Amino acid sequence: MEYKLQYFGAILLTVFITSCKAQHSSVVKENAKLVQVSNEYSFTEGPASDKFGNVYFTDQPNDKIIKWDAANNSLSIFKEPAGRANGLYFDHNNKLLAAADENNELWRIDTNGNIDTLITTFDGKKLNGPNDIWVDLSGGIYFTDPYYQREYWSRTSADIKEKNVYYISPDMKQVSIVAEGLTQPNGIIGTPDGKILYVADIGDKNTYSFSIQDDGKLKNRKLFTDMGSDGMTIDNQGNIYLTGDGVTIFNKNGKQIHHIAVDEKWTANVTFGGKNQDILFITAMGSIYTLKMNVNGVRY
């Protein structure tokens, strides 16, 4: 009986190890290593991939938007000054949307760096400070608006006391609150089919899912996981990537399936880049990292 139990236990152990390896390799490419591309920045944030797989990210303290060229792994300055940009996202016309924190605005930037300011106030009040952005299938824009006091602001309190999630209609003519009652909404990402929006409330250390309606409004708020996040992303299997202590990956059911350790005090954001959208691009403190993946990012 003892022999049978030991044998059975050995089988279970083997299955467990094999399962863990399979789980890991199903997300991260086998033998892939986290690569530090650069550590020359002050605080990196807001990575966003264009249609060619190049990734743009911000160095907010130094007021820059930097471009990582996916073809040759090189870095160059795209825009400086950059409105103290934080979160970034590309719209369907390959224009870069930026949460321009300096004057609490949302920008749309063309390939030549020309700026179109989309919004700076709501109901006559200055926004708290747009933070992260996601664009839906119709071209409507969701953005989170927490409040983080900045040393470069003259004001010391928010005009809008609530920390909301807003939606700009595809024609850019209407702005509405679509999620409220949040402590400090931060990361935001939607599913490829445009049906679910995830919002990380870093203030209460939870991440929620919402059902997206045809008019862009949100319903059916549900707790996705009891972990908050700074920035976040999604892959083509529907897995959600949360940041803070490295990168923690959850499947669409809210079960943790993997953790990517990053040797930094804080991991701020994450996205997919590269020609095939199979490179995980991570911003953490003053550094940027890449990791080869077996899953792909989502590009419309």
Side-chain angles (χ1 to χ4, degrees):
M1 184 69 177
E2 183 179 354
Y3 169 79
K4 289 182 180 180
L5 286 173
Q6 289 176 345
Y7 178 73
F8 184 62
I11 292 175
L12 284 177
L13 181 61
T14 302
V15 170
F16 175 76
I17 293 172
T18 303
S19 174
C20 287
K21 288 182 177 179
Q23 184 184 73
H24 177 272
S25 63
S26 68
V27 180
V28 179
K29 198 170 186 65
E30 188 174 2
N31 299 321
K33 301 294 183 183
L34 192 67
V35 176
Q36 186 184 64
V37 178
S38 175
N39 64 352
E40 64 184 69
Y41 306 106
S42 294
F43 191 82
T44 55
E45 249 285 14
S49 175
D50 68 12
K51 65 180 182 180
F52 305 107
N54 305 308
V55 175
Y56 293 67
F57 63 96
T58 62
D59 183 6
Q60 191 179 44
N62 293 317
D63 203 12
K64 298 177 183 179
I65 297 176
I66 300 104
K67 175 185 176 182
W68 173 71
D69 192 307
N72 54 30
N73 196 33
S74 65
L75 297 164
S76 60
I77 296 174
F78 170 69
K79 191 167 185 62
E80 180 188 16
R84 298 282 187 171
N86 191 5
L88 306 173
Y89 204 88
F90 277 91
D91 69 13
H92 300 322
N93 296 314
N94 207 43
K95 291 184 178 180
L96 183 62
L97 302 175
D101 194 69
E102 184 172 23
N103 293 309
N104 316 104
E105 299 171 333
L106 194 67
W107 287 0
R108 182 168 57 198
I109 310 172
D110 67 19
T111 54
N112 296 316
N114 298 312
I115 299 166
D116 179 16
T117 301
L118 300 180
I119 183 174
T120 187
T121 62
F122 181 78
D123 282 348
K125 297 180 180 180
K126 184 179 286 293
L127 293 169
N128 293 332
N131 191 277
D132 275 325
I133 307 163
W134 182 70
V135 179
D136 68 13
L137 299 179
S138 301
I141 302 169
Y142 292 90
F143 67 91
T144 55
D145 190 44
Y147 187 88
Y148 294 102
Q149 183 65 48
R150 305 301 191 188
E151 61 181 15
Y152 43 82
W153 288 349
S154 59
R155 63 172 175 161
T156 56
S157 62
D159 291 358
I160 302 172
K161 300 305 178 184
E162 299 78 20
K163 283 79 171 180
N164 302 316
V165 178
Y166 294 85
Y167 180 69
I168 305 176
S169 61
D171 61 8
M172 303 292 126
K173 294 181 179 179
Q174 295 182 333
V175 183
S176 56
I177 296 173
V178 290
E180 50 192 342
L182 300 164
T183 304
Q184 196 80 317
N186 200 307
I188 188 170
I189 198 72
T191 55
D193 59 10
K195 293 182 178 181
I196 299 175
L197 184 72
Y198 295 93
V199 177
D201 190 343
I202 198 170
D204 73 355
K205 299 180 181 179
N206 287 319
T207 297
Y208 300 97
S209 67
F210 296 83
S211 298
I212 300 175
Q213 308 304 295
D214 291 341
D215 59 1
K217 293 181 180 178
L218 304 178
K219 290 185 178 180
N220 303 324
R221 168 174 159 170
K222 296 179 181 178
L223 179 65
F224 174 68
T225 183
D226 56 354
M227 174 181 170
S229 183
D230 200 333
M232 59 199 298
T233 195
I234 190 171
D235 67 27
N236 63 331
Q237 294 182 358
N239 299 315
I240 306 299
Y241 295 61
L242 304 186
T243 57
D245 175 16
V247 180
T248 307
I249 307 171
F250 296 83
N251 66 17
K252 59 185 178 181
N253 298 316
K255 179 183 178 181
Q256 181 178 331
I257 60 171
H258 191 63
H259 178 261
I260 300 168
V262 180
D263 189 19
E264 301 282 356
K265 291 182 179 179
W266 185 255
T267 299
N269 216 323
V270 63
T271 196
F272 282 86
K275 180 181 178 181
N276 299 315
Q277 289 284 293
D278 59 353
I279 298 174
L280 196 66
F281 190 97
I282 302 168
T283 61
M285 300 304 292
S287 301
I288 54 171
Y289 295 85
T290 57
L291 182 65
K292 297 287 184 65
M293 306 294 286
N294 274 333
V295 290
N296 305 90
V298 179
R299 181 189 292 144
Y300 299 127

